[in-house]
Amino acid sequence: MHECRDAQGCARSAPTGLDGGYAASSSLRFAREKDIELASITGTGKFGQIIRKDVLAILDNQPESMIAQATTLPSDASSQFEPFSMTRKTISERLSRSWREIPHVFIRIEIDATRLLVVRKALIEELETKIPIEAILVKVCLPALREFPTFNATVVEGGIELHQHYNIGLAADTETGLVVPVSKDADRLSLRDMVATMLDLLPRAVERKATPEELSGSTFTVNNIGALGNISGTSIIPYGTTAILSIARSVEKPVAIDGAVEIRPTLEVTLSFDHRAIDGGLAQRFLNRIQENLEEPVKALL
């Protein structure tokens, strides 16, 4: 150890490297996490200080087996290693890439679901079939996507590709992991056709019977996180798109209406968007349009 002084001139001690330099506390923690001895590191920072780059250089020169050993958690006789299934591995790789490469931003809004629930009930009676909330959600999103095309797009080298087709992904939970079946050319479907598509596609996706073609090519995604009872939540943006909209389960809450308190069904809608292509103001305007369409869904469904 040797003595150095902080910005106020107070003496303090710091661990030294072979060259007499000292390691910054964050670099020291990083080296310990990777099980690297400080004495093996040559500091290249100011006054021979060991910096993060020096630790990374050691890691780059280590055999892969040593790195794996250093980063493997200790286990005991009661532990059991369970390898990822191919589905889980694919999900892991895609989500990791999305989270690593896309600067995610999340905004939320709470909507009055009174009209939405009334309209859905009326549609069930009119069409004499179950109406997945995803069908209504897709229909109310389409006008907003036309108005704000950046949300139906892909970030590419040096710019953004605005899609002229609307392939809407439908995030679905399965026993083996998340899948995203895609309603192709959703803008060309009537509400009745949209409902029929959902009632066919979603169950097959959950049962792992959807084709690879039906599980690819989305340009925008909706996620009904309320299906499992969630009243709040966010979603990671599927790679190759710029946004995903999540809708939660409706719950009754006291709401101020014209100076009086009423109990209304409300639900939270969350937008996850790619900040490389979309700024906060544009995202808020898009979400405001979604709110209008959900609170008065008849306009969007006609």
Side-chain angles (χ1 to χ4, degrees):
M1 307 287 284
H2 78 283
E3 184 178 87
C4 59
R5 293 184 178 273
D6 59 21
Q8 286 73 41
C10 300
R12 60 183 177 86
S13 296
T16 63
L18 288 177
D19 57 0
Y22 64 92
S25 59
S26 61
S27 300
L28 173 61
R29 287 195 300 271
F30 183 54
R32 284 176 174 170
E33 289 171 0
K34 300 302 180 182
D35 201 26
I36 297 174
E37 292 291 338
L38 284 180
S40 67
I41 307 174
T42 299
T44 61
K46 189 175 183 180
F47 306 120
Q49 182 184 29
I50 295 173
I51 58 178
R52 187 181 183 90
K53 182 178 69 174
D54 302 327
V55 181
L56 291 173
I58 295 294
L59 289 175
D60 288 341
N61 292 324
Q62 282 187 356
E64 187 174 340
S65 59
M66 292 180 62
I67 297 175
Q69 182 180 12
T71 56
T72 300
L73 292 175
S75 61
D76 54 47
S78 63
S79 299
Q80 179 179 345
F81 173 72
E82 182 175 317
F84 280 162
S85 65
M86 287 303 296
T87 299
R88 188 76 256 168
K89 185 177 180 181
T90 299
I91 293 171
S92 174
E93 290 172 350
R94 289 177 178 174
L95 293 182
S96 294
R97 184 180 184 186
S98 176
W99 188 254
R100 183 173 61 249
E101 297 185 20
I102 298 176
H104 283 63
V105 179
F106 311 96
I107 58 173
R108 300 178 177 86
I109 198 166
E110 194 171 80
I111 74 162
D112 184 338
T114 302
R115 290 286 297 158
L116 176 64
L117 298 180
V118 168
V119 169
R120 187 186 186 193
K121 182 178 179 180
L123 288 172
I124 291 173
E125 295 175 354
E126 175 67 23
L127 301 180
E128 297 182 340
T129 186
K130 178 182 178 182
I131 306 292
I133 192 65
E134 291 89 345
I136 297 177
L137 187 57
V138 169
K139 294 296 285 186
V140 303
C141 282
L142 286 170
L145 292 173
R146 293 190 190 96
E147 184 178 354
F148 302 95
T150 312
F151 293 85
N152 191 64
T154 299
V155 174
V156 295
E157 184 68 27
I160 185 169
E161 181 180 353
L162 304 174
H163 300 299
Q164 303 303 311
H165 54 280
Y166 298 86
N167 295 342
I168 310 302
L170 313 163
D173 178 67
T174 75
E175 291 184 356
T176 56
L178 178 73
V179 296
V180 185
V182 180
S183 176
K184 300 292 178 66
D185 295 318
D187 56 315
R188 300 182 181 181
L189 299 178
S190 66
L191 177 60
R192 187 183 294 272
D193 290 338
M194 179 72 72
V195 169
T197 296
M198 300 282 182
L199 293 178
D200 169 62
L201 183 58
L202 285 173
R204 285 194 295 108
V206 171
E207 295 167 6
R208 309 296 298 176
K209 295 180 180 179
T211 66
E213 174 67 20
E214 292 173 323
L215 297 174
S216 62
S218 63
T219 58
F220 180 78
T221 305
V222 298
N223 186 9
N224 177 19
I225 61 176
L228 297 178
N230 292 36
I231 61 173
S232 180
T234 57
S235 302
I236 293 179
I237 304 165
Y239 194 81
T241 64
T242 58
I244 179 172
L245 190 79
S246 304
I247 186 171
R249 178 174 60 87
S250 66
V251 293
E252 291 191 340
K253 290 185 178 181
V255 179
I257 305 293
D258 296 328
V261 176
E262 298 182 14
I263 303 299
R264 294 285 185 94
T266 63
L267 59 81
E268 183 178 279
V269 178
T270 302
L271 178 69
S272 311
F273 63 92
D274 185 339
H275 211 349
R276 293 175 300 176
I278 301 166
D279 291 326
L282 181 63
Q284 191 61 61
R285 289 191 291 275
F286 176 82
L287 196 54
N288 288 344
R289 182 70 67 236
I290 296 294
Q291 178 181 13
E292 292 175 9
N293 292 346
L294 283 172
E295 292 187 339
E296 288 294 341
V298 174
K299 295 179 182 178
L301 295 176
L302 291 177

